PDB file of all heavy atoms in Angstrom:
ATOM      1  N   TYR A   1       7.243   4.564   2.843  1.00  0.00           N
ATOM      2  CA  TYR A   1       8.267   3.539   2.876  1.00  0.00           C
ATOM      3  C   TYR A   1       8.467   3.119   4.325  1.00  0.00           C
ATOM      4  O   TYR A   1       8.128   3.860   5.245  1.00  0.00           O
ATOM      5  CB  TYR A   1       9.582   4.053   2.284  1.00  0.00           C
ATOM      6  CG  TYR A   1       9.513   4.371   0.812  1.00  0.00           C
ATOM      7  CD1 TYR A   1       8.879   5.519   0.354  1.00  0.00           C
ATOM      8  CD2 TYR A   1      10.087   3.519  -0.134  1.00  0.00           C
ATOM      9  CE1 TYR A   1       8.804   5.811  -0.996  1.00  0.00           C
ATOM     10  CE2 TYR A   1      10.022   3.801  -1.486  1.00  0.00           C
ATOM     11  CZ  TYR A   1       9.380   4.953  -1.912  1.00  0.00           C
ATOM     12  OH  TYR A   1       9.319   5.235  -3.260  1.00  0.00           O
ATOM     13  N   ARG A   2       9.024   1.942   4.514  1.00  0.00           N
ATOM     14  CA  ARG A   2       9.304   1.500   5.872  1.00  0.00           C
ATOM     15  C   ARG A   2      10.711   0.937   5.946  1.00  0.00           C
ATOM     16  O   ARG A   2      11.245   0.412   4.977  1.00  0.00           O
ATOM     17  CB  ARG A   2       8.283   0.463   6.348  1.00  0.00           C
ATOM     18  CG  ARG A   2       8.246  -0.832   5.552  1.00  0.00           C
ATOM     19  CD  ARG A   2       7.031  -1.655   5.955  1.00  0.00           C
ATOM     20  NE  ARG A   2       6.994  -2.954   5.310  1.00  0.00           N
ATOM     21  CZ  ARG A   2       5.973  -3.800   5.386  1.00  0.00           C
ATOM     22  NH1 ARG A   2       4.890  -3.477   6.101  1.00  0.00           N
ATOM     23  NH2 ARG A   2       6.031  -4.967   4.763  1.00  0.00           N
ATOM     24  N   GLN A   3      11.302   1.048   7.132  1.00  0.00           N
ATOM     25  CA  GLN A   3      12.679   0.625   7.297  1.00  0.00           C
ATOM     26  C   GLN A   3      12.963   0.271   8.743  1.00  0.00           C
ATOM     27  O   GLN A   3      12.691   1.058   9.647  1.00  0.00           O
ATOM     28  CB  GLN A   3      13.642   1.723   6.839  1.00  0.00           C
ATOM     29  CG  GLN A   3      15.099   1.317   6.864  1.00  0.00           C
ATOM     30  CD  GLN A   3      15.989   2.379   6.272  1.00  0.00           C
ATOM     31  OE1 GLN A   3      15.670   3.565   6.301  1.00  0.00           O
ATOM     32  NE2 GLN A   3      17.110   1.960   5.719  1.00  0.00           N
ATOM     33  N   THR A   4      13.486  -0.913   8.931  1.00  0.00           N
ATOM     34  CA  THR A   4      14.006  -1.343  10.220  1.00  0.00           C
ATOM     35  C   THR A   4      15.495  -1.046  10.248  1.00  0.00           C
ATOM     36  O   THR A   4      16.190  -1.266   9.249  1.00  0.00           O
ATOM     37  CB  THR A   4      13.760  -2.845  10.433  1.00  0.00           C
ATOM     38  OG1 THR A   4      12.355  -3.098  10.431  1.00  0.00           O
ATOM     39  CG2 THR A   4      14.361  -3.322  11.748  1.00  0.00           C
ATOM     40  N   PRO A   5      16.022  -0.552  11.368  1.00  0.00           N
ATOM     41  CA  PRO A   5      17.462  -0.279  11.427  1.00  0.00           C
ATOM     42  C   PRO A   5      18.291  -1.474  10.983  1.00  0.00           C
ATOM     43  O   PRO A   5      18.056  -2.607  11.414  1.00  0.00           O
ATOM     44  CB  PRO A   5      17.689   0.050  12.903  1.00  0.00           C
ATOM     45  CG  PRO A   5      16.391   0.637  13.343  1.00  0.00           C
ATOM     46  CD  PRO A   5      15.336  -0.152  12.600  1.00  0.00           C
ATOM     47  N   GLY A   6      19.254  -1.220  10.106  1.00  0.00           N
ATOM     48  CA  GLY A   6      20.104  -2.269   9.589  1.00  0.00           C
ATOM     49  C   GLY A   6      19.566  -2.982   8.368  1.00  0.00           C
ATOM     50  O   GLY A   6      20.244  -3.853   7.817  1.00  0.00           O
ATOM     51  N   LYS A   7      18.363  -2.630   7.939  1.00  0.00           N
ATOM     52  CA  LYS A   7      17.768  -3.251   6.772  1.00  0.00           C
ATOM     53  C   LYS A   7      17.504  -2.213   5.686  1.00  0.00           C
ATOM     54  O   LYS A   7      17.578  -1.005   5.916  1.00  0.00           O
ATOM     55  CB  LYS A   7      16.462  -3.957   7.144  1.00  0.00           C
ATOM     56  CG  LYS A   7      16.631  -5.098   8.133  1.00  0.00           C
ATOM     57  CD  LYS A   7      15.310  -5.798   8.396  1.00  0.00           C
ATOM     58  CE  LYS A   7      15.490  -6.955   9.361  1.00  0.00           C
ATOM     59  NZ  LYS A   7      14.192  -7.640   9.622  1.00  0.00           N
ATOM     60  N   GLN A   8      17.184  -2.696   4.499  1.00  0.00           N
ATOM     61  CA  GLN A   8      16.918  -1.820   3.368  1.00  0.00           C
ATOM     62  C   GLN A   8      15.562  -1.145   3.508  1.00  0.00           C
ATOM     63  O   GLN A   8      14.614  -1.732   4.042  1.00  0.00           O
ATOM     64  CB  GLN A   8      16.973  -2.606   2.061  1.00  0.00           C
ATOM     65  CG  GLN A   8      18.334  -3.192   1.737  1.00  0.00           C
ATOM     66  CD  GLN A   8      19.356  -2.121   1.452  1.00  0.00           C
ATOM     67  OE1 GLN A   8      19.077  -1.159   0.728  1.00  0.00           O
ATOM     68  NE2 GLN A   8      20.544  -2.273   2.024  1.00  0.00           N
ATOM     69  N   ARG A   9      15.485   0.071   3.018  1.00  0.00           N
ATOM     70  CA  ARG A   9      14.212   0.754   2.969  1.00  0.00           C
ATOM     71  C   ARG A   9      13.314   0.074   1.934  1.00  0.00           C
ATOM     72  O   ARG A   9      13.744  -0.246   0.827  1.00  0.00           O
ATOM     73  CB  ARG A   9      14.414   2.229   2.628  1.00  0.00           C
ATOM     74  CG  ARG A   9      13.156   3.072   2.691  1.00  0.00           C
ATOM     75  CD  ARG A   9      13.487   4.544   2.566  1.00  0.00           C
ATOM     76  NE  ARG A   9      14.316   5.000   3.679  1.00  0.00           N
ATOM     77  CZ  ARG A   9      14.830   6.220   3.779  1.00  0.00           C
ATOM     78  NH1 ARG A   9      14.597   7.114   2.830  1.00  0.00           N
ATOM     79  NH2 ARG A   9      15.574   6.543   4.823  1.00  0.00           N
ATOM     80  N   GLU A  10      12.057  -0.106   2.278  1.00  0.00           N
ATOM     81  CA  GLU A  10      11.126  -0.876   1.478  1.00  0.00           C
ATOM     82  C   GLU A  10       9.928  -0.033   1.071  1.00  0.00           C
ATOM     83  O   GLU A  10       9.344   0.674   1.890  1.00  0.00           O
ATOM     84  CB  GLU A  10      10.652  -2.102   2.272  1.00  0.00           C
ATOM     85  CG  GLU A  10       9.612  -2.953   1.575  1.00  0.00           C
ATOM     86  CD  GLU A  10       9.066  -4.047   2.463  1.00  0.00           C
ATOM     87  OE1 GLU A  10       9.308  -3.990   3.697  1.00  0.00           O
ATOM     88  OE2 GLU A  10       8.408  -4.969   1.942  1.00  0.00           O
ATOM     89  N   LEU A  11       9.564  -0.133  -0.190  1.00  0.00           N
ATOM     90  CA  LEU A  11       8.360   0.538  -0.671  1.00  0.00           C
ATOM     91  C   LEU A  11       7.127  -0.075  -0.021  1.00  0.00           C
ATOM     92  O   LEU A  11       6.952  -1.291  -0.008  1.00  0.00           O
ATOM     93  CB  LEU A  11       8.248   0.418  -2.189  1.00  0.00           C
ATOM     94  CG  LEU A  11       6.902   0.816  -2.800  1.00  0.00           C
ATOM     95  CD1 LEU A  11       6.686   2.316  -2.690  1.00  0.00           C
ATOM     96  CD2 LEU A  11       6.806   0.364  -4.255  1.00  0.00           C
ATOM     97  N   VAL A  12       6.261   0.773   0.502  1.00  0.00           N
ATOM     98  CA  VAL A  12       4.960   0.349   0.993  1.00  0.00           C
ATOM     99  C   VAL A  12       3.887   0.703  -0.033  1.00  0.00           C
ATOM    100  O   VAL A  12       3.166  -0.166  -0.522  1.00  0.00           O
ATOM    101  CB  VAL A  12       4.634   0.979   2.353  1.00  0.00           C
ATOM    102  CG1 VAL A  12       3.240   0.553   2.812  1.00  0.00           C
ATOM    103  CG2 VAL A  12       5.681   0.591   3.386  1.00  0.00           C
ATOM    104  N   ALA A  13       3.782   1.974  -0.362  1.00  0.00           N
ATOM    105  CA  ALA A  13       2.787   2.425  -1.325  1.00  0.00           C
ATOM    106  C   ALA A  13       3.147   3.812  -1.813  1.00  0.00           C
ATOM    107  O   ALA A  13       3.711   4.615  -1.071  1.00  0.00           O
ATOM    108  CB  ALA A  13       1.386   2.437  -0.704  1.00  0.00           C
ATOM    109  N   ILE A  14       2.824   4.098  -3.063  1.00  0.00           N
ATOM    110  CA  ILE A  14       2.987   5.426  -3.621  1.00  0.00           C
ATOM    111  C   ILE A  14       1.736   5.805  -4.400  1.00  0.00           C
ATOM    112  O   ILE A  14       0.996   4.937  -4.871  1.00  0.00           O
ATOM    113  CB  ILE A  14       4.226   5.547  -4.539  1.00  0.00           C
ATOM    114  CG1 ILE A  14       4.169   4.509  -5.666  1.00  0.00           C
ATOM    115  CG2 ILE A  14       5.498   5.410  -3.729  1.00  0.00           C
ATOM    116  CD1 ILE A  14       5.277   4.683  -6.690  1.00  0.00           C
ATOM    117  N   ILE A  15       1.525   7.095  -4.537  1.00  0.00           N
ATOM    118  CA  ILE A  15       0.394   7.599  -5.304  1.00  0.00           C
ATOM    119  C   ILE A  15       0.827   8.852  -6.041  1.00  0.00           C
ATOM    120  O   ILE A  15       1.429   9.756  -5.468  1.00  0.00           O
ATOM    121  CB  ILE A  15      -0.824   7.856  -4.390  1.00  0.00           C
ATOM    122  CG1 ILE A  15      -2.032   8.318  -5.216  1.00  0.00           C
ATOM    123  CG2 ILE A  15      -0.493   8.844  -3.278  1.00  0.00           C
ATOM    124  CD1 ILE A  15      -3.337   8.287  -4.423  1.00  0.00           C
ATOM    125  N   THR A  16       0.539   8.904  -7.326  1.00  0.00           N
ATOM    126  CA  THR A  16       0.910  10.046  -8.144  1.00  0.00           C
ATOM    127  C   THR A  16      -0.101  11.168  -7.980  1.00  0.00           C
ATOM    128  O   THR A  16      -1.160  11.006  -7.370  1.00  0.00           O
ATOM    129  CB  THR A  16       1.008   9.666  -9.621  1.00  0.00           C
ATOM    130  OG1 THR A  16      -0.306   9.372 -10.133  1.00  0.00           O
ATOM    131  CG2 THR A  16       1.909   8.456  -9.822  1.00  0.00           C
ATOM    132  N   ASN A  17       0.233  12.314  -8.556  1.00  0.00           N
ATOM    133  CA  ASN A  17      -0.675  13.443  -8.503  1.00  0.00           C
ATOM    134  C   ASN A  17      -2.014  13.121  -9.158  1.00  0.00           C
ATOM    135  O   ASN A  17      -3.052  13.642  -8.749  1.00  0.00           O
ATOM    136  CB  ASN A  17      -0.044  14.657  -9.180  1.00  0.00           C
ATOM    137  CG  ASN A  17      -0.768  15.947  -8.845  1.00  0.00           C
ATOM    138  OD1 ASN A  17      -0.654  16.456  -7.732  1.00  0.00           O
ATOM    139  ND2 ASN A  17      -1.515  16.472  -9.811  1.00  0.00           N
ATOM    140  N   GLY A  18      -1.982  12.263 -10.178  1.00  0.00           N
ATOM    141  CA  GLY A  18      -3.193  11.879 -10.874  1.00  0.00           C
ATOM    142  C   GLY A  18      -3.956  10.743 -10.235  1.00  0.00           C
ATOM    143  O   GLY A  18      -5.011  10.352 -10.747  1.00  0.00           O
ATOM    144  N   GLY A  19      -3.432  10.184  -9.151  1.00  0.00           N
ATOM    145  CA  GLY A  19      -4.140   9.148  -8.435  1.00  0.00           C
ATOM    146  C   GLY A  19      -3.729   7.727  -8.748  1.00  0.00           C
ATOM    147  O   GLY A  19      -4.318   6.783  -8.207  1.00  0.00           O
ATOM    148  N   SER A  20      -2.740   7.551  -9.604  1.00  0.00           N
ATOM    149  CA  SER A  20      -2.236   6.214  -9.884  1.00  0.00           C
ATOM    150  C   SER A  20      -1.461   5.688  -8.683  1.00  0.00           C
ATOM    151  O   SER A  20      -0.675   6.422  -8.079  1.00  0.00           O
ATOM    152  CB  SER A  20      -1.349   6.229 -11.125  1.00  0.00           C
ATOM    153  OG  SER A  20      -0.839   4.948 -11.404  1.00  0.00           O
ATOM    154  N   THR A  21      -1.669   4.422  -8.333  1.00  0.00           N
ATOM    155  CA  THR A  21      -1.061   3.850  -7.136  1.00  0.00           C
ATOM    156  C   THR A  21      -0.196   2.644  -7.462  1.00  0.00           C
ATOM    157  O   THR A  21      -0.367   1.976  -8.477  1.00  0.00           O
ATOM    158  CB  THR A  21      -2.133   3.436  -6.123  1.00  0.00           C
ATOM    159  OG1 THR A  21      -3.000   2.457  -6.712  1.00  0.00           O
ATOM    160  CG2 THR A  21      -2.964   4.638  -5.697  1.00  0.00           C
ATOM    161  N   ASP A  22       0.721   2.378  -6.554  1.00  0.00           N
ATOM    162  CA  ASP A  22       1.543   1.182  -6.621  1.00  0.00           C
ATOM    163  C   ASP A  22       1.823   0.747  -5.195  1.00  0.00           C
ATOM    164  O   ASP A  22       1.987   1.587  -4.305  1.00  0.00           O
ATOM    165  CB  ASP A  22       2.840   1.453  -7.378  1.00  0.00           C
ATOM    166  CG  ASP A  22       3.579   0.177  -7.752  1.00  0.00           C
ATOM    167  OD1 ASP A  22       2.948  -0.895  -7.783  1.00  0.00           O
ATOM    168  OD2 ASP A  22       4.793   0.255  -8.036  1.00  0.00           O
ATOM    169  N   TYR A  23       1.875  -0.571  -4.989  1.00  0.00           N
ATOM    170  CA  TYR A  23       2.063  -1.118  -3.656  1.00  0.00           C
ATOM    171  C   TYR A  23       3.172  -2.143  -3.644  1.00  0.00           C
ATOM    172  O   TYR A  23       3.417  -2.845  -4.626  1.00  0.00           O
ATOM    173  CB  TYR A  23       0.780  -1.785  -3.162  1.00  0.00           C
ATOM    174  CG  TYR A  23      -0.384  -0.846  -2.981  1.00  0.00           C
ATOM    175  CD1 TYR A  23      -1.264  -0.594  -4.020  1.00  0.00           C
ATOM    176  CD2 TYR A  23      -0.603  -0.211  -1.760  1.00  0.00           C
ATOM    177  CE1 TYR A  23      -2.335   0.269  -3.852  1.00  0.00           C
ATOM    178  CE2 TYR A  23      -1.667   0.648  -1.587  1.00  0.00           C
ATOM    179  CZ  TYR A  23      -2.533   0.888  -2.632  1.00  0.00           C
ATOM    180  OH  TYR A  23      -3.592   1.745  -2.462  1.00  0.00           O
ATOM    181  N   GLY A  24       3.829  -2.227  -2.512  1.00  0.00           N
ATOM    182  CA  GLY A  24       4.751  -3.317  -2.319  1.00  0.00           C
ATOM    183  C   GLY A  24       4.012  -4.641  -2.282  1.00  0.00           C
ATOM    184  O   GLY A  24       2.867  -4.720  -1.837  1.00  0.00           O
ATOM    185  N   ASP A  25       4.673  -5.689  -2.761  1.00  0.00           N
ATOM    186  CA  ASP A  25       4.011  -6.985  -2.857  1.00  0.00           C
ATOM    187  C   ASP A  25       3.476  -7.473  -1.512  1.00  0.00           C
ATOM    188  O   ASP A  25       2.424  -8.119  -1.454  1.00  0.00           O
ATOM    189  CB  ASP A  25       4.972  -8.024  -3.431  1.00  0.00           C
ATOM    190  CG  ASP A  25       5.266  -7.808  -4.902  1.00  0.00           C
ATOM    191  OD1 ASP A  25       4.467  -7.125  -5.572  1.00  0.00           O
ATOM    192  OD2 ASP A  25       6.283  -8.323  -5.386  1.00  0.00           O
ATOM    193  N   SER A  26       4.179  -7.184  -0.452  1.00  0.00           N
ATOM    194  CA  SER A  26       3.803  -7.708   0.852  1.00  0.00           C
ATOM    195  C   SER A  26       2.572  -7.042   1.451  1.00  0.00           C
ATOM    196  O   SER A  26       2.006  -7.563   2.416  1.00  0.00           O
ATOM    197  CB  SER A  26       4.975  -7.577   1.834  1.00  0.00           C
ATOM    198  OG  SER A  26       5.303  -6.223   2.057  1.00  0.00           O
ATOM    199  N   VAL A  27       2.139  -5.914   0.882  1.00  0.00           N
ATOM    200  CA  VAL A  27       0.999  -5.198   1.453  1.00  0.00           C
ATOM    201  C   VAL A  27      -0.192  -5.131   0.512  1.00  0.00           C
ATOM    202  O   VAL A  27      -1.249  -4.620   0.903  1.00  0.00           O
ATOM    203  CB  VAL A  27       1.388  -3.770   1.895  1.00  0.00           C
ATOM    204  CG1 VAL A  27       2.601  -3.800   2.808  1.00  0.00           C
ATOM    205  CG2 VAL A  27       1.638  -2.870   0.689  1.00  0.00           C
ATOM    206  N   LYS A  28      -0.054  -5.631  -0.691  1.00  0.00           N
ATOM    207  CA  LYS A  28      -1.150  -5.587  -1.652  1.00  0.00           C
ATOM    208  C   LYS A  28      -2.381  -6.299  -1.104  1.00  0.00           C
ATOM    209  O   LYS A  28      -2.299  -7.398  -0.562  1.00  0.00           O
ATOM    210  CB  LYS A  28      -0.724  -6.222  -2.975  1.00  0.00           C
ATOM    211  CG  LYS A  28       0.267  -5.389  -3.759  1.00  0.00           C
ATOM    212  CD  LYS A  28       0.653  -6.074  -5.065  1.00  0.00           C
ATOM    213  CE  LYS A  28       1.633  -5.227  -5.861  1.00  0.00           C
ATOM    214  NZ  LYS A  28       2.074  -5.889  -7.100  1.00  0.00           N
ATOM    215  N   GLY A  29      -3.510  -5.642  -1.255  1.00  0.00           N
ATOM    216  CA  GLY A  29      -4.758  -6.197  -0.763  1.00  0.00           C
ATOM    217  C   GLY A  29      -5.058  -5.870   0.678  1.00  0.00           C
ATOM    218  O   GLY A  29      -6.175  -6.126   1.144  1.00  0.00           O
ATOM    219  N   ARG A  30      -4.089  -5.309   1.386  1.00  0.00           N
ATOM    220  CA  ARG A  30      -4.279  -4.993   2.800  1.00  0.00           C
ATOM    221  C   ARG A  30      -4.182  -3.497   3.089  1.00  0.00           C
ATOM    222  O   ARG A  30      -4.842  -3.005   4.003  1.00  0.00           O
ATOM    223  CB  ARG A  30      -3.252  -5.730   3.663  1.00  0.00           C
ATOM    224  CG  ARG A  30      -3.338  -7.247   3.554  1.00  0.00           C
ATOM    225  CD  ARG A  30      -2.415  -7.935   4.554  1.00  0.00           C
ATOM    226  NE  ARG A  30      -1.011  -7.615   4.321  1.00  0.00           N
ATOM    227  CZ  ARG A  30      -0.225  -7.010   5.203  1.00  0.00           C
ATOM    228  NH1 ARG A  30      -0.696  -6.662   6.396  1.00  0.00           N
ATOM    229  NH2 ARG A  30       1.046  -6.771   4.906  1.00  0.00           N
ATOM    230  N   PHE A  31      -3.358  -2.788   2.326  1.00  0.00           N
ATOM    231  CA  PHE A  31      -3.146  -1.356   2.543  1.00  0.00           C
ATOM    232  C   PHE A  31      -3.755  -0.563   1.400  1.00  0.00           C
ATOM    233  O   PHE A  31      -3.775  -1.018   0.246  1.00  0.00           O
ATOM    234  CB  PHE A  31      -1.657  -1.026   2.621  1.00  0.00           C
ATOM    235  CG  PHE A  31      -0.940  -1.568   3.828  1.00  0.00           C
ATOM    236  CD1 PHE A  31      -1.552  -2.441   4.713  1.00  0.00           C
ATOM    237  CD2 PHE A  31       0.375  -1.189   4.069  1.00  0.00           C
ATOM    238  CE1 PHE A  31      -0.885  -2.940   5.812  1.00  0.00           C
ATOM    239  CE2 PHE A  31       1.059  -1.676   5.170  1.00  0.00           C
ATOM    240  CZ  PHE A  31       0.434  -2.555   6.047  1.00  0.00           C
ATOM    241  N   THR A  32      -4.210   0.643   1.697  1.00  0.00           N
ATOM    242  CA  THR A  32      -4.746   1.543   0.694  1.00  0.00           C
ATOM    243  C   THR A  32      -4.178   2.938   0.908  1.00  0.00           C
ATOM    244  O   THR A  32      -4.251   3.474   2.013  1.00  0.00           O
ATOM    245  CB  THR A  32      -6.279   1.605   0.752  1.00  0.00           C
ATOM    246  OG1 THR A  32      -6.831   0.300   0.553  1.00  0.00           O
ATOM    247  CG2 THR A  32      -6.815   2.534  -0.340  1.00  0.00           C
ATOM    248  N   ILE A  33      -3.623   3.509  -0.150  1.00  0.00           N
ATOM    249  CA  ILE A  33      -3.071   4.848  -0.076  1.00  0.00           C
ATOM    250  C   ILE A  33      -4.012   5.827  -0.770  1.00  0.00           C
ATOM    251  O   ILE A  33      -4.655   5.486  -1.770  1.00  0.00           O
ATOM    252  CB  ILE A  33      -1.657   4.909  -0.697  1.00  0.00           C
ATOM    253  CG1 ILE A  33      -0.990   6.257  -0.405  1.00  0.00           C
ATOM    254  CG2 ILE A  33      -1.696   4.623  -2.192  1.00  0.00           C
ATOM    255  CD1 ILE A  33       0.488   6.293  -0.770  1.00  0.00           C
ATOM    256  N   SER A  34      -4.106   7.030  -0.237  1.00  0.00           N
ATOM    257  CA  SER A  34      -4.930   8.071  -0.825  1.00  0.00           C
ATOM    258  C   SER A  34      -4.291   9.422  -0.548  1.00  0.00           C
ATOM    259  O   SER A  34      -3.405   9.542   0.301  1.00  0.00           O
ATOM    260  CB  SER A  34      -6.364   8.027  -0.273  1.00  0.00           C
ATOM    261  OG  SER A  34      -6.372   8.233   1.131  1.00  0.00           O
ATOM    262  N   ARG A  35      -4.741  10.445  -1.262  1.00  0.00           N
ATOM    263  CA  ARG A  35      -4.178  11.776  -1.058  1.00  0.00           C
ATOM    264  C   ARG A  35      -5.250  12.837  -1.231  1.00  0.00           C
ATOM    265  O   ARG A  35      -6.236  12.646  -1.944  1.00  0.00           O
ATOM    266  CB  ARG A  35      -3.008  12.042  -2.008  1.00  0.00           C
ATOM    267  CG  ARG A  35      -3.388  12.121  -3.480  1.00  0.00           C
ATOM    268  CD  ARG A  35      -2.148  12.161  -4.368  1.00  0.00           C
ATOM    269  NE  ARG A  35      -1.431  13.428  -4.266  1.00  0.00           N
ATOM    270  CZ  ARG A  35      -0.217  13.643  -4.775  1.00  0.00           C
ATOM    271  NH1 ARG A  35       0.433  12.653  -5.381  1.00  0.00           N
ATOM    272  NH2 ARG A  35       0.358  14.831  -4.656  1.00  0.00           N
ATOM    273  N   ASP A  36      -5.014  13.954  -0.582  1.00  0.00           N
ATOM    274  CA  ASP A  36      -5.860  15.126  -0.686  1.00  0.00           C
ATOM    275  C   ASP A  36      -4.950  16.259  -1.129  1.00  0.00           C
ATOM    276  O   ASP A  36      -4.217  16.829  -0.319  1.00  0.00           O
ATOM    277  CB  ASP A  36      -6.532  15.441   0.645  1.00  0.00           C
ATOM    278  CG  ASP A  36      -7.492  16.608   0.564  1.00  0.00           C
ATOM    279  OD1 ASP A  36      -7.403  17.411  -0.379  1.00  0.00           O
ATOM    280  OD2 ASP A  36      -8.350  16.719   1.461  1.00  0.00           O
ATOM    281  N   ASN A  37      -4.984  16.574  -2.413  1.00  0.00           N
ATOM    282  CA  ASN A  37      -4.077  17.576  -2.945  1.00  0.00           C
ATOM    283  C   ASN A  37      -4.340  18.972  -2.381  1.00  0.00           C
ATOM    284  O   ASN A  37      -3.411  19.764  -2.228  1.00  0.00           O
ATOM    285  CB  ASN A  37      -4.162  17.607  -4.473  1.00  0.00           C
ATOM    286  CG  ASN A  37      -3.526  16.399  -5.115  1.00  0.00           C
ATOM    287  OD1 ASN A  37      -2.596  15.803  -4.566  1.00  0.00           O
ATOM    288  ND2 ASN A  37      -4.009  16.031  -6.296  1.00  0.00           N
ATOM    289  N   ALA A  38      -5.588  19.268  -2.085  1.00  0.00           N
ATOM    290  CA  ALA A  38      -5.915  20.575  -1.535  1.00  0.00           C
ATOM    291  C   ALA A  38      -5.256  20.789  -0.179  1.00  0.00           C
ATOM    292  O   ALA A  38      -4.940  21.921   0.189  1.00  0.00           O
ATOM    293  CB  ALA A  38      -7.426  20.747  -1.425  1.00  0.00           C
ATOM    294  N   LYS A  39      -5.058  19.705   0.553  1.00  0.00           N
ATOM    295  CA  LYS A  39      -4.449  19.785   1.872  1.00  0.00           C
ATOM    296  C   LYS A  39      -3.010  19.289   1.893  1.00  0.00           C
ATOM    297  O   LYS A  39      -2.387  19.248   2.958  1.00  0.00           O
ATOM    298  CB  LYS A  39      -5.273  18.991   2.880  1.00  0.00           C
ATOM    299  CG  LYS A  39      -6.689  19.507   3.067  1.00  0.00           C
ATOM    300  CD  LYS A  39      -7.447  18.672   4.081  1.00  0.00           C
ATOM    301  CE  LYS A  39      -8.852  19.200   4.286  1.00  0.00           C
ATOM    302  NZ  LYS A  39      -9.614  18.381   5.268  1.00  0.00           N
ATOM    303  N   ASN A  40      -2.489  18.903   0.728  1.00  0.00           N
ATOM    304  CA  ASN A  40      -1.137  18.352   0.637  1.00  0.00           C
ATOM    305  C   ASN A  40      -0.923  17.240   1.660  1.00  0.00           C
ATOM    306  O   ASN A  40       0.074  17.215   2.384  1.00  0.00           O
ATOM    307  CB  ASN A  40      -0.090  19.450   0.811  1.00  0.00           C
ATOM    308  CG  ASN A  40      -0.072  20.436  -0.335  1.00  0.00           C
ATOM    309  OD1 ASN A  40      -0.294  20.067  -1.489  1.00  0.00           O
ATOM    310  ND2 ASN A  40       0.206  21.693  -0.035  1.00  0.00           N
ATOM    311  N   THR A  41      -1.866  16.324   1.683  1.00  0.00           N
ATOM    312  CA  THR A  41      -1.865  15.267   2.676  1.00  0.00           C
ATOM    313  C   THR A  41      -2.008  13.905   2.008  1.00  0.00           C
ATOM    314  O   THR A  41      -2.763  13.749   1.047  1.00  0.00           O
ATOM    315  CB  THR A  41      -3.005  15.472   3.687  1.00  0.00           C
ATOM    316  OG1 THR A  41      -2.839  16.735   4.340  1.00  0.00           O
ATOM    317  CG2 THR A  41      -3.010  14.374   4.737  1.00  0.00           C
ATOM    318  N   VAL A  42      -1.292  12.929   2.527  1.00  0.00           N
ATOM    319  CA  VAL A  42      -1.401  11.555   2.061  1.00  0.00           C
ATOM    320  C   VAL A  42      -1.756  10.680   3.252  1.00  0.00           C
ATOM    321  O   VAL A  42      -1.306  10.923   4.379  1.00  0.00           O
ATOM    322  CB  VAL A  42      -0.100  11.077   1.380  1.00  0.00           C
ATOM    323  CG1 VAL A  42       1.071  11.082   2.360  1.00  0.00           C
ATOM    324  CG2 VAL A  42      -0.283   9.704   0.760  1.00  0.00           C
ATOM    325  N   HIS A  43      -2.581   9.672   2.996  1.00  0.00           N
ATOM    326  CA  HIS A  43      -3.015   8.745   4.037  1.00  0.00           C
ATOM    327  C   HIS A  43      -2.685   7.318   3.631  1.00  0.00           C
ATOM    328  O   HIS A  43      -2.657   6.977   2.453  1.00  0.00           O
ATOM    329  CB  HIS A  43      -4.519   8.857   4.277  1.00  0.00           C
ATOM    330  CG  HIS A  43      -4.988  10.242   4.593  1.00  0.00           C
ATOM    331  ND1 HIS A  43      -4.835  10.817   5.834  1.00  0.00           N
ATOM    332  CD2 HIS A  43      -5.607  11.174   3.818  1.00  0.00           C
ATOM    333  CE1 HIS A  43      -5.338  12.041   5.817  1.00  0.00           C
ATOM    334  NE2 HIS A  43      -5.813  12.281   4.614  1.00  0.00           N
TER     335      HIS A  43
END
């Protein structure tokens, strides 16, 4: 998520344990989210 002081927090991207993703409208087509469950890491 991203947030500028004084503004609402905004969804950027999320990814479920099964790999399903969702993106904020403003970043679709430009950002890609991924995760490595073995390392408990998200990129």
Side-chain angles (χ1 to χ4, degrees):
Y1 294 75
R2 62 191 185 187
Q3 185 174 28
T4 298
K7 297 183 179 180
Q8 296 293 316
R9 186 171 297 175
E10 177 187 13
L11 168 69
V12 178
I14 56 173
I15 183 167
T16 69
N17 195 73
S20 179
T21 60
D22 193 20
Y23 296 90
D25 289 340
S26 64
V27 307
K28 289 180 179 177
R30 299 187 298 119
F31 292 8
T32 301
I33 190 170
S34 61
R35 67 189 289 169
D36 184 341
N37 288 331
K39 298 180 179 179
N40 292 325
T41 300
V42 62
H43 305 282

